[in-house]
Amino acid sequence: MSTHVRHPIWLPALRPADARTFASLYAVESFARATISSVIPIQAYEILHNERIVSILYTIVSLMGLSVTLFMPMLIRRFARRWVYTAGCLMLAIGSAFFVTHTLPGQIGGMLCRVMGASALSITLNLYIMDHIRKTDFMQAESLRMAWSMFAWTGGPTLGIFLYTHFGIYAAHGAVVVFALALLCLFWFYRLTDNQSIRPGRSRPANPLANIGRFVAQPRLRLAWLIAFGRSCFWTTFFVYGPLFMVITGQGELAGGLLVSAGNALLFVAIFWGRAGQRFGGRRVMTFAYFAMSAVLFAAGGVGEAAPLLTGALLLYGALFTIALDALGSTAFMRSVRSYERAQMAAVYRTYLDFSELTPPLVYSVVLSFFGLGSVFVTLGILAAFCGFVTWRYLPKAF
């Protein structure tokens, strides 16, 4: 029996990847990103001492992040996906090392590492989900993923600010390193495998411009991008202009922080929206969510500064319906993309996040030149109504 090899028992005993696998990975990743989400702008302002320059810095980083996202398929094509995911975890940790220098070059380096890490993690995780989760289970898996991330996005920003103000910069960014390394260990523990069918053939274009053209040529993918763009615009507006509205109307910074935390805490209802999508159909639920969001935003814009707390409550109602789109919206992409071009199309699809961070401030700057702050919510309501109409008109009834 000397030739008999005894393998570790736990290796074959590990369960196949399921919805909870990806929900746990996304939850830990969310803690790694959410913990310093409120610290980064504070650091940037402490270094630059000018709100306008801080905005310019964010714009430049967002544009560079867009470029990184579009080139991500080339890395996935060159290296195995598990190494790209591993690099994403390490980039989050390296970004914290840049941030603790508390210098302008360090701030820029940290923000870029954070963007590149988030891009790598987002794209590769979506690819793994499409490999391991059946199409009929996408709604359940996505709603569970959003619900588990609620703990990170509700408590993470508060934890980061607490560590930064009470224990200093090393404590706040050190927590990110801990979460990033924990994510890396958890990922390798699950031992997710690459599906070779995702690899494009040699005849398939790999450059970003060709990928964009291929994406735009497919109506279902364009629709999936619009659905994601619309709901991401709400969150950009909610996180930036919600607290700003509370401060301008005299409610204070605490009210703004509580508004954001309350919006994040609502993520737990993603599970219920996922069940609603399975029962009534994703098309009906997403259309309802968009039109309901639009109505609430029109009401918030109408009330405006006359009753700030009521406006804040209406924005929370808007967040409640937006979470339905968080839970169900990405399934429109996952069910539409072809298996052999998932990596290329996933990279183009993720640009909705970059555009949702760039477009609203530009549009609102023009609108605010003529109208009050409430016009921001009305403008967003118009976009939501448009997205709802397009979703109802063009998303297949069987979805």
Side-chain angles (χ1 to χ4, degrees):
M1 298 298 290
S2 60
T3 59
H4 178 71
V5 178
R6 201 176 166 190
H7 297 283
I9 296 176
W10 66 272
L11 285 176
L14 190 65
R15 294 186 314 172
D18 56 13
R20 286 174 293 182
T21 301
F22 301 109
S24 61
L25 285 172
Y26 188 68
V28 179
E29 176 198 335
S30 297
F31 268 111
R33 294 191 291 115
T35 302
I36 57 170
S37 61
S38 298
V39 174
I40 292 174
I42 294 176
Q43 277 192 236
Y45 184 76
E46 290 177 349
I47 294 171
L48 298 170
H49 305 288
N50 186 291
E51 300 90 337
R52 180 174 174 273
I53 300 179
V54 170
S55 298
I56 293 174
L57 174 61
Y58 268 89
T59 302
I60 293 173
V61 172
S62 296
L63 289 172
M64 297 183 71
L66 177 62
S67 302
V68 171
T69 298
L70 292 175
F71 278 95
M72 196 61 64
M74 299 180 69
L75 294 177
I76 295 175
R77 184 186 179 92
R78 176 65 179 83
F79 305 100
R81 257 185 286 151
R82 59 181 176 273
W83 296 117
V84 177
Y85 192 96
T86 298
C89 297
L90 295 178
M91 291 303 289
L92 294 182
I94 294 171
S96 292
F98 278 110
F99 279 126
V100 295
T101 63
H102 210 265
T103 61
L104 181 57
Q107 186 75 15
I108 296 173
M111 293 175 71
L112 287 176
C113 286
R114 178 179 165 86
V115 168
M116 290 187 290
S119 177
L121 293 172
S122 174
I123 293 173
T124 50
L125 185 64
N126 279 332
L127 294 177
Y128 279 122
I129 290 173
M130 287 186 281
D131 275 359
H132 293 275
I133 303 295
R134 295 180 301 177
K135 288 187 176 182
T136 54
D137 296 331
F138 279 156
M139 290 185 184
Q140 177 187 2
E142 287 300 285
S143 60
L144 185 66
R145 188 160 68 107
M146 292 298 109
W148 281 31
S149 70
M150 176 267 295
F151 299 101
W153 290 107
T154 301
T158 303
L159 173 63
I161 290 294
F162 175 79
L163 292 175
Y164 186 70
T165 54
H166 288 77
F167 300 99
I169 191 172
Y170 286 96
H173 292 287
V176 175
V177 174
V178 172
F179 285 124
L181 295 180
L183 174 63
L184 183 59
C185 293
L186 185 63
F187 170 75
W188 281 97
F189 171 76
Y190 286 141
R191 302 192 315 278
L192 298 176
T193 57
D194 291 9
N195 187 340
Q196 295 301 315
S197 66
I198 198 174
R199 293 185 179 274
R202 293 185 180 274
S203 61
R204 292 289 170 183
N207 71 81
L209 292 180
N211 293 338
I212 293 173
R214 180 64 182 159
F215 188 98
V216 174
Q218 301 181 59
R220 291 279 294 275
L221 295 185
R222 296 200 306 265
L223 175 59
W225 190 94
L226 179 65
I227 293 172
F229 174 75
R231 51 108 165 168
S232 189
C233 282
F234 175 89
W235 288 121
T236 297
T237 305
F238 182 81
F239 289 140
V240 176
Y241 292 91
L244 181 62
F245 181 84
M246 289 292 129
V247 172
I248 291 176
T249 55
Q251 305 306 306
E253 296 178 356
L254 178 60
L258 290 175
L259 177 66
V260 172
S261 295
N264 287 329
L266 290 174
L267 283 170
F268 79 92
V269 302
I271 293 178
F272 301 101
W273 283 119
R275 293 175 181 173
Q278 290 179 312
R279 180 174 181 181
F280 302 106
R283 174 175 174 264
R284 290 182 178 179
V285 174
M286 284 192 286
T287 301
F288 167 76
Y290 259 127
F291 283 129
M293 183 206 307
S294 177
V296 169
L297 287 169
F298 284 139
V303 174
E305 300 176 19
L309 295 181
L310 177 58
T311 301
L314 290 170
L315 291 178
L316 285 178
Y317 274 112
L320 182 67
F321 296 117
T322 308
I323 292 169
L325 299 164
D326 288 334
L328 305 176
S330 59
T331 59
F333 169 76
M334 293 180 177
R335 289 184 176 182
S336 302
V337 65
R338 294 179 172 88
S339 60
Y340 60 81
E341 57 182 5
R342 285 177 179 172
Q344 299 95 319
M345 298 303 101
V348 179
Y349 172 72
R350 193 188 178 277
T351 60
Y352 77 82
L353 188 60
D354 302 289
F355 279 100
S356 67
E357 293 176 352
L358 290 170
T359 307
L362 294 176
V363 175
Y364 297 155
S365 64
V366 176
V367 174
L368 290 172
S369 301
F370 301 96
F371 305 100
L373 190 56
S375 63
V376 166
F377 308 129
V378 175
T379 303
L380 182 60
I382 294 173
L383 173 63
F386 173 76
C387 292
F389 171 77
V390 174
T391 300
W392 175 258
R393 177 67 178 81
Y394 294 105
L395 195 65
K397 294 182 180 180
F399 181 81

